[in-house]
Every structure is written in structure tokens, then in C-alpha cells.
């Protein structure tokens, strides 16, 4: 969870994100060194076919930003004048209302992206009229896209308020077309057609051009690394074995070198060299993606192994990848395989606002050779053995996890076991009091058992937590390993991520709500909170704002991320619980976790499961709560 919504950290988070982004402005690639990969900023993230990134393509649909890019047949159709009222905000479009033969047109050119199964034009319409007939359409409003008339409304559609209209425009995917509203009046008696909050959303998942199976499947990583005296530099070797599960041959794989975001392409924190089992290509996506071409395409069911030398340099900073003084956090540092499905390779950019990570359940066997004075908490179950003079070898093994993370430093450690039998270790940096560490151990014991009771038994052996009050981001989750402040709510949340992201996976860049909203909902339940009336305070920033928006949207609207994805998301799930009933909602989520155990969740699948658990049609519920997909 890149940013538990601790309001006190909001300003700091924005400033640090801006600095990090500035540090990564593209620079000229350095000359290639022997056996080294070559940075290539110009290399775009490849896709084998168009992918569906849910988007809203109408600009200024609420008419709050002047008239652009709308075209008006006469000045003043977009207005705030008295006589009519907006649906939201202060402005609206008022067509006709003259009472004589008259035509008004309002239009905008839009490009509807390809790759999505659904594209929907929506708008809010209010009709008032002086016409007295109950059968004759004297005055009309047509909604068109290109030359196609989508719908016609008339004086017979008069109403006392606004009604939302929804029109399917999926047939126009991949085209640039004009959305137009044309109002026409006859010679007498006015009819006003008032339009507001126009949107054209693409959603519904990807239209797969080929096999939509996620591959490479069943990844297995073996890693051996040795650290310097401080635990800031790690060098060694990694191998990755995998199987092509898809019917489409696999000619290449991509490694995600996520932590290169924290440096530059000329000074990469994550360095891969001496690749075996394939040919390394150029780095792309700000040097966070490395293409490796396989010697021969893998057919369905065939397996392969690649290997490489690995060097990791941990930068200074209390971050999920960084060291706070002597204490290192090493998250997302091990290269992992990107995922390919019917949409192609998922090579999204790193986001410092949330998470970009998307990986399949994998097995890790990681050996970490380090000075004995450093404790090394890690994902999975760890066993320490003596190394060479003054050193210890920590071997951590983990099955069916999506990532591997560890820490290194002279931590203070306390341990305990939850009532259900899960071993828990709390590692504290300097400045954390013994009472605060004990409080976090108590919280962890309670939280892990509460979540397990609701969603299924915790499968990862032990749980390690590093506690550091200098974390500007609040907290961060990895399988069996979390980073957190001294905070009962935050730690309960991060432990909840063991189920939603860890066990029930998702594409965190495309659908962040599937882990953050669900985890915040689970946190409320674990802390005895019911979310009473929390949906009543919802106020959307625009028609484009949806709970289900991707990180691309939230990176452009970062001030709204926590409010919508964490706050409105969990409120929507509380509302769903009230609609279904407590027992039905509890069964829905437990059954849903079971059916997606170690798999990948999608919004469409969750909506289908919820609908199957409901005795009423949930379409209006999804619309009200802006849950699309």
C-alpha cells in the first residue's frame, strides 16, 4: 500500500514524489559496457495488441472549464445563467428554450481507444417545456456520434430534474468521431434541453486478440547474494525458471527492474549482467523493463530457465527501497518476470503514488550472506547458519508469493505467536520504544487472526514487520513482510494486504481498488468499524473520477487517490454489505478469496460474484458507486 492515507504525510508525499520524478527525467543513454544491458529510453513498452486501459475521453464534460473543446452553434449555449440549474458544479449546456423555429448544436471531437469491449456515452438531461401535448413530439434533441443518431428525446420527455442517459458506443472503438447534441424547436412554445456532465467511458476489460492465459506461469526464482558491511550493496546471481501456459508461443520474456526508478539509467540501483538462457535486449520504461529473447520460442507447456548476475545498491532514504541510517528496506529489488496475457506484455511505469506491481504467484529460494551484526528479516521462512568469519547466511524460502523483500540492519527484535499459531517478528529501528514495539506485536497478532478468520488461513509461515516512524508513505506490504509506522490502523491494513494483493492477486496499476479498497474494508472490520453513513459524504471531483480508475489516472490526480480508492472504495463495500446482508457479504468475500487463492482477481469477476450472491439487480449499485469494468 503506497500510502496508507495518513493525512499528516500528504504534503511530504507529494514533495518527495515530485523530486523523485525530477530525478528520473530521461538523459542520454550511456555507451554499452561489455556484457551489460543498454538503456533505451526511446524503446516504448511493447504490446502485442491494443490493451484496454479504462478511460474517460470527453474533455470538460461538466462545462466548468470554459467552452473548449466544445463547438457551439451560437455563443452562450454553455452557461450559468438563471432560468435553469446545473446537475453539478456551476455550469451546464442549455439548448433551445426560444419558443420559435430554432436549432442549437453542441459538439466535440473525441478519440475512442481500441482494445476495450465496452464504450459508453453518458450524460445528464433535464427537459422542461411549455408544450401541453402528451402525444406529439414538437421539439427534439438528438444525440449523435459521427453520422449515427444514438437517441432522440423530445418535449414528451419533460421532467422535474435531471435523468442520466447511457448509450452504447462500443462499435466506434478505435475511431476519432464527433459527439454532438442537436436541439430543434418548432414555431411556438419553448422546450429547453439542458445537458450536463457528459462522459464517454471505455471499460469492460480487454478484447483479447489471442490466448488470454497469463504467462509465463509457475515462476521459480533462486537467488544467492552477499552484502557489504552495511547491507547497502548486494551482489550475486539469480535464476528464473518458468513455463509457457499459453497457446501462443513465447519468444521472449521481460524482467521488471522496478527499483531503477530510484536512480537514473546512468546510475542504476539494479544492474543485470551476464545473462544466460536468452539474449538481453535494451532496457525500456525508464530502465525498469529488460527484454530477454529466448533461444527458441516456447510452445504451450514447455519450460525454460534464464540466469544473470545481479547487483543491488540501496539508496539513502526511509523508503520501501532505501536505507534510513543503518537500517535498509529492500523491496522490489529482485528482478521478477512481467506478465503477458491477451492484452500483451504488462509493462506499466513505476508509480511512487501507489503500486505498479503485477506478478504471478511464484516460489523463491533466497540465500543472503551478510555480517552477523545485521538482522535480515525477509519474505518466507528464514533459517540462519554460520558463514565465514563474522558473517551469517540467512536462507529464506517462500512458496506461492508474488514478490520477495527483505531488510538489513541492527534492528531490535521481539517475537510472539498469534492465537491461531502464526509466528510474528517485530523489527524496530532506533528510536522505537519497547512499549511501542510490544504494542505493534499485539496488533499484528490480533490482525492476522482476524483477517484469517474472514478470508482463509494465513499461508506464508511467519510474518515479519519493520517498524520505523520515518516512513513518509505510512506503510508498505510484501508477502510475509511489511513496513509500517507505529500505528494500529496502518499495521492492520498492511497485514490485510497479505490476502488482497498477496493471496488474491490483481494488476495493481490497472485496478488499485482491488487491493486497497478491499484491504481498507477488511481493516475496518478487524477494528470493529462498520462504515455507517460513510458513503453520505462522497463528493466526486469530476465525471471522470471512478473508484475503479487506474494508477495512470491517480498519478495525474494524486490529491484524490486516498480519498477515492481507500475512502470511497471501502465505503462502497460497506454499502454492498448492507445491501446483501452481513452473512451473505462475509460468505461472498470468503468464497471469492478461496476461488482466487494464488490467482488474479478482476473487477468484472468480483462484480459477477457479487451479483450471484444478490437477489436483486446490482447494476444501479455499480453505477451509483462508480465501479466499472
Amino acid at each position: 500500500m503506497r500510502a496508507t492515507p495518513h493525512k499528516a504525510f500528504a504534503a511530504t508525499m507529494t514533495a518527495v514524489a515530485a523530486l523523485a520524478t525530477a530525478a528520473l527525467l530521461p538523459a542520454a543513454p550511456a555507451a554499452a559496457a561489455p556484457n551489460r544491458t543498454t538503456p533505451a529510453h526511446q524503446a516504448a513498452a511493447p504490446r502485442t495488441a491494443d490493451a484496454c486501459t479504462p478511460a474517460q475521453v470527453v474533455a470538460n464534460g461538466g462545462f466548468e472549464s470554459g467552452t473548449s473543446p466544445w463547438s457551439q452553434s451560437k455563443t452562450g449555449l454553455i452557461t450559468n445563467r438563471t432560468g435553469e440549474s446545473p446537475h453539478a458544479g456551476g455550469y451546464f449546456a442549455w439548448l433551445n428554450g426560444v419558443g420559435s423555429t430554432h436549432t442549437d448544436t453542441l459538439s466535440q471531437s473525441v478519440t475512442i481507444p481500441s482494445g476495450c469491449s465496452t464504450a459508453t456515452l453518458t450524460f445528464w438531461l433535464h427537459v422542461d417545456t411549455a408544450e401541453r401535448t402528451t402525444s406529439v413530439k414538437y421539439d427534439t434533441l438528438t444525440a449523435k456520434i459521427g453520422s449515427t443518431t444514438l437517441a432522440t428525446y423530445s418535449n414528451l420527455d419533460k421532467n422535474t430534474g435531471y435523468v442520466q442517459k447511457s448509450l452504447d458506443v462500443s462499435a466506434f472503438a478505435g475511431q476519432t468521431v464527433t459527439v454532438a447534441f442537436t436541439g430543434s424547436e418548432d414555431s411556438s412554445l419553448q422546450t429547453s434541453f439542458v445537458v450536463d456532465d457528459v462522459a464517454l467511458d471505455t471499460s469492460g476489460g480487454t478484447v483479447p486478440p489471442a490466448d488470454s492465459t497469463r504467462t509465463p506461469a509457475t515462476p521459480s526464482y533462486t537467488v544467492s547474494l552477499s552484502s557489504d558491511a552495511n547491507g547497502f550493496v548486494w551482489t550475486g546471481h539469480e535464476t528464473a525458471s518458468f513455463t509457457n501456459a499459453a497457446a501462443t508461443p513465447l519468444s521472449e520474456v521481460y524482467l521488471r527492474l522496478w527499483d531503477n526508478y530510484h536512480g537514473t539509467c546512468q546510475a542504476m540501483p539494479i544492474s543485470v549482467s551476464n545473462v544466460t538462457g536468452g539474449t538481453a535486449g535494451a532496457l525500456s520504461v525508464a530502465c525498469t523493463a529488460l527484454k530477454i529473447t529466448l533461444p527458441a520460442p516456447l510452445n504451450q507447456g514447455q519450460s525454460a530457465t534464464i540466469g544473470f548476475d545481479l547487483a543491488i545498491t540501496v539508496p539513502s532514504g526511509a523508503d520501501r527501497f532505501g536505507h534510513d541510517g543503518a537500517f535498509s528496506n529492500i523491496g522490489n529489488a529482485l528482478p521478477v518476470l512481467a506478465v503477458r496475457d491477451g492484452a500483451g506484455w504488462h509493462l506499466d511505469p513505476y508509480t511512487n503514488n501507489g503500486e505498479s506491481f503485477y506478478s504471478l504467484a511464484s516460489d523463491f529460494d533466497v540465500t543472503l550472506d551478510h555480517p552477523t551484526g545485521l538482522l535480515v528479516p525477509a519474505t518466507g521462512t528464514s533459517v540462519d547458519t554460520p558463514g565465514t568469519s563474522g558473517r551469517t547466511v540467512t536462507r529464506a524460502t517462500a512458496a506461492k508469493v508474488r514478490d520477495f523483500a527483505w531488510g538489513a540492519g541492527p534492528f531490535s527484535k521481539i517475537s510472539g505467536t498469534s492465537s491461531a499459531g502464526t509466528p510474528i517478528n517485530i523489527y524496530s529501528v532506533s528510536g522505537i520504544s519497547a512499549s511501542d514495539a510490544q504494542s505493534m506485536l499485539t496488533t499484528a497478532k490480533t490482525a492476522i487472526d482476524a483477517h484469517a478468520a474472514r478470508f482463509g488461513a494465513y499461508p506464508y509461515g511467519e510474518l515479519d514487520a519493520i517498524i520505523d516512524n520515518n516512513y513518509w508513505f505510512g506503510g508498505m506490504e510484501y508477502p510475509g513482510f511489511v513496513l509500517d509506522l507505529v500505528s494500529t490502523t496502518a499495521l492492520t491494513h498492511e497485514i490485510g494486504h497479505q490476502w488482497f494483493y498477496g493471496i488474491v492477486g490483481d494488476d495493481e496499476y490497472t485496478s488499485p481498488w482491488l487491493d486497497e479498497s478491499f484491504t481498507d474494508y477488511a481493516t475496518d472490520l478487524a477494528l470493529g468499524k462498520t462504515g455507517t453513513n460513510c458513503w453520505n459524504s462522497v463528493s466526486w471531483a469530476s465525471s471522470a473520477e471512478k473508484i475503479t480508475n487506474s494508477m495512470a489516472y491517480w498519478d495525474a490526480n494524486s490529491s484524490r487517490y486516498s480519498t477515492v480508492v481507500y475512502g470511497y472504495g471501502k465505503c462502497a463495500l460497506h454499502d454492498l454489505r448492507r445491501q446483501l446482508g452481513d452473512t451473505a457479504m462475509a460468505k461472498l468475500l470468503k468464497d471469492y478469496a478461496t476461488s482466487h487463492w494464488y490467482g488474479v482477481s478482476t473487477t468484472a469477476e468480483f462484480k459477477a460474484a457479487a451479483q450471484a450472491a444478490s437477489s436483486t439487480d446490482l447494476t444501479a449499485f455499480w453505477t451509483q458507486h462508480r465501479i466499472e469494468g
Side-chain angles (χ1 to χ4, degrees):
M1 137 180 213
R2 183 56 148 198
T4 304
H6 291 283
K7 301 304 180 184
F9 292 95
T12 307
M13 181 171 69
T14 302
V16 174
L19 288 171
T21 301
L24 289 170
L25 291 175
N35 297 318
R36 293 278 176 178
T37 56
T38 303
H41 288 286
Q42 70 275 13
R47 294 275 186 175
T48 59
D50 292 327
C52 176
T53 299
Q56 197 289 107
V57 299
V58 168
N60 192 23
F63 310 113
E64 303 298 319
S65 303
T67 60
S68 180
W70 292 99
S71 295
Q72 306 176 87
S73 58
K74 71 173 186 179
T75 301
L77 297 186
I78 295 174
T79 183
N80 64 346
R81 69 184 191 269
T82 58
E84 296 291 350
S85 300
H87 170 255
Y91 286 79
F92 49 91
W94 185 349
L95 285 73
N96 305 123
V98 176
S100 61
T101 303
H102 186 79
T103 299
D104 287 331
T105 299
L106 183 71
S107 64
Q108 179 181 146
S109 177
V110 299
T111 299
I112 306 176
S114 58
C116 293
S117 60
T118 301
T120 306
L121 175 68
T122 58
F123 56 95
W124 291 83
L125 176 64
H126 168 58
V127 181
D128 71 49
T129 183
E131 300 283 2
R132 293 180 290 273
T133 179
T134 58
S135 59
V136 181
K137 298 179 180 180
Y138 288 116
D139 309 314
T140 61
L141 176 77
T142 60
K144 299 179 71 174
I145 188 163
S147 60
T148 301
T149 298
L150 301 172
T152 301
Y153 311 96
S154 74
N155 49 281
L156 299 182
D157 295 301
K158 64 182 179 181
N159 48 18
T160 56
Y162 278 89
V163 175
Q164 188 177 40
K165 305 297 182 181
S166 181
L167 305 171
D168 183 9
V169 295
S170 304
F172 299 90
Q175 300 180 35
T176 298
V177 290
T178 298
V179 172
F181 300 94
T182 300
S184 299
E185 285 181 289
D186 70 350
S187 58
S188 65
L189 300 178
Q190 76 87 23
T191 298
S192 295
F193 298 101
V194 189
V195 177
D196 203 357
D197 290 327
V198 183
L200 200 163
D201 291 280
T202 57
S203 61
T206 299
V207 181
D211 194 327
S212 60
T213 301
R214 298 178 182 97
T215 201
T218 60
S220 178
Y221 302 94
T222 301
V223 184
S224 180
L225 297 172
S226 180
S227 83
D228 67 355
N230 300 309
F232 298 166
V233 177
W234 299 77
T235 56
H237 192 77
E238 177 176 344
T239 62
S241 300
F242 51 88
T243 300
N244 180 20
T248 305
L250 190 66
S251 299
E252 73 282 327
V253 295
Y254 283 85
L255 290 174
R256 295 315 306 258
L257 282 55
W258 286 114
D259 284 334
N260 279 343
Y261 170 87
H262 298 277
T264 70
C265 286
Q266 285 67 51
M268 293 182 287
I270 309 300
S271 176
V272 167
S273 60
N274 299 322
V275 174
T276 59
T279 302
L283 285 159
S284 60
V285 198
C287 294
T288 66
L290 173 63
K291 179 179 180 179
I292 296 178
T293 302
L294 301 177
L298 291 183
N299 293 322
Q300 188 172 34
Q302 291 184 319
S303 301
T305 298
I306 59 173
F308 47 88
D309 291 338
L310 176 64
I312 299 169
T313 302
V314 183
S316 177
D319 209 332
R320 55 189 174 193
F321 179 62
H323 64 85
D324 183 11
F327 303 93
S328 292
N329 307 308
I330 310 170
N332 306 111
L334 295 185
V336 294
L337 293 163
V339 178
R340 191 193 79 181
D341 57 22
W345 286 103
H346 289 260
L347 300 178
D348 296 303
Y350 186 102
T351 174
N352 205 39
N353 190 34
E355 283 84 47
S356 303
F357 316 126
Y358 177 28
S359 54
L360 303 184
S362 311
D363 294 341
F364 284 84
D365 186 340
V366 180
T367 300
L368 301 169
D369 183 327
H370 56 89
T372 300
L374 302 180
L375 297 184
V376 180
T379 290
T381 300
S382 296
V383 176
D384 289 345
T385 58
T388 58
S389 178
R391 297 182 70 87
T392 296
V393 176
T394 298
R395 183 181 180 188
T397 55
K400 302 299 183 184
V401 297
R402 298 182 193 279
D403 203 349
F404 185 97
W406 72 100
F411 299 103
S412 298
K413 176 186 175 183
I414 60 172
S415 302
T417 304
S418 77
S419 295
T422 299
I424 297 170
N425 303 303
I426 300 296
Y427 295 82
S428 301
V429 304
S430 301
I432 302 297
S433 69
S435 61
D436 280 345
Q438 187 62 51
S439 172
M440 291 299 92
L441 178 59
T442 301
T443 292
K445 291 178 182 179
T446 302
I448 202 162
D449 286 353
H451 295 316
R454 287 189 173 88
F455 309 120
Y458 178 74
Y460 296 142
E462 68 188 47
L463 174 74
D464 296 333
I466 294 179
I467 307 300
D468 186 341
N469 277 332
N470 289 332
Y471 292 147
W472 61 268
F473 50 87
M476 182 63 199
E477 72 281 357
Y478 295 99
F481 177 89
V482 300
L483 311 173
D484 220 308
L485 305 163
V486 176
S487 167
T488 296
T489 300
L491 186 57
T492 302
H493 177 103
E494 301 311 334
I495 293 173
H497 272 302
Q498 301 302 308
W499 282 265
F500 294 104
Y501 144 77
I503 299 166
V504 180
D506 65 284
D507 179 343
E508 293 185 290
Y509 190 85
T510 300
S511 303
W513 92 287
L514 287 172
D515 51 281
E516 298 298 359
S517 299
F518 281 61
T519 297
D520 236 25
Y521 173 76
T523 300
D524 271 7
L525 297 184
L527 297 177
K529 300 177 182 178
T530 62
T532 303
N533 297 323
C534 69
W535 189 257
N536 295 348
S537 61
V538 166
S539 177
W540 301 104
S542 72
S543 59
E545 193 168 81
K546 310 287 193 312
I547 288 174
T548 46
N549 281 350
S550 73
M551 287 307 306
Y553 177 88
W554 299 119
D555 280 347
N557 299 272
S558 59
S559 66
R560 297 287 295 168
Y561 174 55
S562 289
T563 298
V564 177
V565 174
Y566 293 74
Y568 296 178
K570 76 173 179 183
C571 285
L573 293 172
H574 280 302
D575 272 8
L576 182 61
R577 174 176 53 82
R578 282 183 274 272
Q579 176 140 342
L580 299 180
D582 290 356
T583 300
M585 183 67 167
K587 185 177 187 303
L588 164 64
L589 287 180
K590 192 160 191 176
D591 289 349
Y592 190 73
T594 299
S595 65
H596 290 80
W597 205 261
Y598 301 138
V600 174
S601 170
T602 67
T603 298
E605 289 170 335
F606 177 72
K607 288 171 67 176
Q611 184 59 71
S614 175
S615 59
T616 60
D617 187 348
L618 294 177
T619 300
F621 179 91
W622 306 128
T623 299
Q624 178 195 0
H625 293 80
R626 299 199 184 191
I627 295 173
E628 298 182 353

